[in-house]
Amino acid sequence: MRSAVVVGAGVGGLAVAGALARSGWQVTVLERAERVRPEPTAVVLWPNGVRALQALGLGAGLAAIATPLPDGGVRRPDGHWLVQPRPIPADRMPVVVHREDLHDALIAGLGERVELRTGVTVRHVRVEPGERPGVSDGRHTIEADLVVAADGTDSGIRRQLAPESRVVSSGCAAWRAVIPWYQAPRLPDDQPLAGEILGAGYRFVAASLGERGSSGGSSRGGIYWVATAAGAPRPEPPETQLALLRRWYAGWPAPVGALLDATDPADLVQQEVRELRPLPRAYGFPVGPGGVVLLGDAAHAMPPHLGQGACLAFEDAATLASLLREARLPDAVQAYDRVRRPRAATVVRQTRRMSAVLQTRGRLALRARDAALGTINSRLLSSAAASAAQWRPPT
């Protein structure tokens, strides 16, 4: 029986662990935290992410917890439309999912061949020629045919195998929250909810998780919002951070103020937005009879502006699982590297272009951006949407 060690129990690590187990592998998942606990926020999945989960055998579970996300357009803080809402073809419409629901679905898909160990910090990966790969926490070494580094942006395995790739700040911070339906404000029927509002270095996006009074299969319905602001994360407690957000976004179009007022500080999640520059020189490293691969944010951490972080992680997992069914292990590792690096580079390049547009500062630059945003935003989003819609897992 082939064996794998998956380092990291985020969405990418859990997805690939379940896929390998369902293919007959014995899998050990190592997580540095004492508990595997997702953020109480949500995640947007574009068609490529949905298709990847379907390829992993998780499509039915996703359908029960996902809410379609229509195009809400783009507005300025004064309410002026920069890009009007437009209909999205069904095959290109993203969905929004509560992270806790997604986590539950991934855990349910692990099966009996997966052992999950928490409180384990991997400090070293063994890649000596002729030997099986392995990982060590400084006291014990675990060997396997395959090591999957799904240990996030600060991946210790990536630092050892691809030291040229550094984690850098993207120049902004993000705040997220889900307002449960029982405390969410009631909004007029003609008031747009989904969509973007762009200011000078500021951005606000909101979306519904299921219908009010029902959760669309989820017990965690509500309104999900994300606010992004240029600068470093704030050190103050959540109550103060929320007060700052209300001040920064004062006067923005409805329902921004109402959503911030309805948010419980305990539900606020702050995150520094970081990325990898440059991307690793390789995503697959053959080692003896097996190999090591980088997956998810460990391979291609990027700003969240196009909502592709989790989608690419699921693409990685579906691609790796498919290749391992079709090829010898060292060959599959090399094929994974050949397939995933160009794909990740394309999405990261699109994301960085969007990041430059969103973080425009200065009066003249803002005027120029707003004048051209309809064209720029449409072109970038159309390119990203087409890329997401066209991706298929290898067969």
Side-chain angles (χ1 to χ4, degrees):
M1 180 183 298
R2 294 189 291 181
S3 62
V5 172
V6 176
V7 182
V11 294
L14 293 176
V16 76
L20 293 178
R22 289 189 293 276
S23 296
W25 289 61
Q26 187 67 42
V27 184
T28 302
V29 179
L30 305 178
E31 167 59 39
R32 68 167 68 96
E34 294 296 333
R35 290 181 58 195
V36 180
R37 182 170 53 188
E39 290 181 350
T41 60
V43 60
V44 173
L45 298 177
W46 287 81
N48 54 320
V50 173
R51 196 170 291 120
L53 285 173
Q54 291 169 342
L56 291 165
L58 299 170
L62 176 65
I65 59 177
T67 303
L69 183 61
D71 182 5
V74 184
R75 291 178 286 168
R76 289 193 317 216
D78 62 4
H80 176 76
W81 285 103
L82 295 169
V83 181
Q84 289 279 352
R86 293 166 297 180
I88 305 177
D91 65 341
R92 292 194 177 187
M93 183 174 290
V95 298
V96 60
V97 185
H98 200 291
R99 283 186 177 271
E100 292 178 348
D101 288 330
L102 181 59
H103 174 266
D104 290 349
L106 294 172
I107 289 291
L110 290 181
E112 298 179 354
R113 295 180 184 273
V114 178
E115 178 188 5
L116 176 58
R117 303 182 191 177
T118 59
V120 179
T121 299
V122 171
R123 304 186 185 280
H124 179 76
V125 57
R126 189 176 69 192
V127 290
E128 281 75 16
E131 296 191 32
R132 295 177 77 206
V135 295
S136 170
D137 63 356
R139 296 176 300 171
H140 306 99
T141 298
I142 302 177
E143 291 185 347
D145 299 305
L146 176 69
V147 172
V148 180
D151 46 345
T153 304
D154 294 310
S155 169
I157 294 178
R158 186 199 60 246
R159 284 197 299 270
Q160 181 179 336
L161 298 181
E164 73 284 353
S165 187
R166 303 294 183 89
V167 180
V168 300
S169 172
S170 298
C172 59
W175 290 262
R176 297 178 173 85
V178 172
I179 306 171
W181 282 128
Y182 68 83
Q183 68 184 53
R186 288 195 172 271
L187 307 175
D189 293 338
D190 61 348
Q191 187 173 96
L193 177 60
E196 298 183 32
I197 308 175
L198 299 180
Y202 294 86
R203 180 190 189 213
F204 194 95
V205 184
S208 292
L209 279 166
E211 298 290 336
R212 186 185 292 271
S214 133
S215 51
S218 165
S219 60
R220 304 180 177 100
I223 298 177
Y224 170 55
W225 62 260
V226 183
T228 308
R234 304 295 304 195
E236 297 90 351
E239 293 82 0
T240 306
Q241 293 178 30
L242 195 52
L244 286 171
L245 291 172
R246 294 189 184 110
R247 188 174 73 192
W248 292 343
Y249 292 91
W252 281 45
V256 174
L259 296 181
L260 293 175
D261 288 341
T263 300
D264 188 326
D267 295 330
L268 189 65
V269 176
Q270 180 187 214
Q271 175 189 17
E272 180 184 13
V273 179
R274 300 180 299 158
E275 60 189 283
L276 293 180
R277 286 183 181 260
L279 292 177
R281 58 182 171 80
Y283 288 164
F285 305 84
V287 179
V292 180
V293 299
L294 305 180
L295 184 146
D297 284 346
H300 38 65
M302 69 189 83
H305 306 313
L306 292 179
Q308 283 293 323
C311 294
L312 278 192
F314 293 140
E315 281 188 25
D316 292 343
T319 301
L320 181 61
S322 177
L323 293 172
L324 288 169
R325 287 193 296 267
E326 302 297 330
R328 292 175 55 253
L329 186 49
D331 295 336
V333 169
Q334 291 179 320
Y336 175 83
D337 178 58
R338 288 194 304 270
V339 171
R340 295 311 297 162
R341 272 195 300 125
R343 169 65 175 165
T346 296
V347 176
V348 168
R349 184 166 58 249
Q350 292 170 337
T351 300
R352 288 175 180 170
R353 288 174 181 168
M354 182 58 73
S355 182
V357 172
L358 298 179
Q359 296 189 43
T360 300
R361 307 292 293 272
R363 183 178 301 175
L364 294 178
L366 281 171
R367 286 179 179 174
R369 183 200 70 180
D370 289 351
L373 187 59
T375 300
I376 295 173
N377 194 67
S378 297
R379 187 168 63 246
L380 285 173
L381 289 180
S382 295
S383 176
S387 178
Q390 292 168 1
W391 180 85
R392 297 288 190 280
T395 57

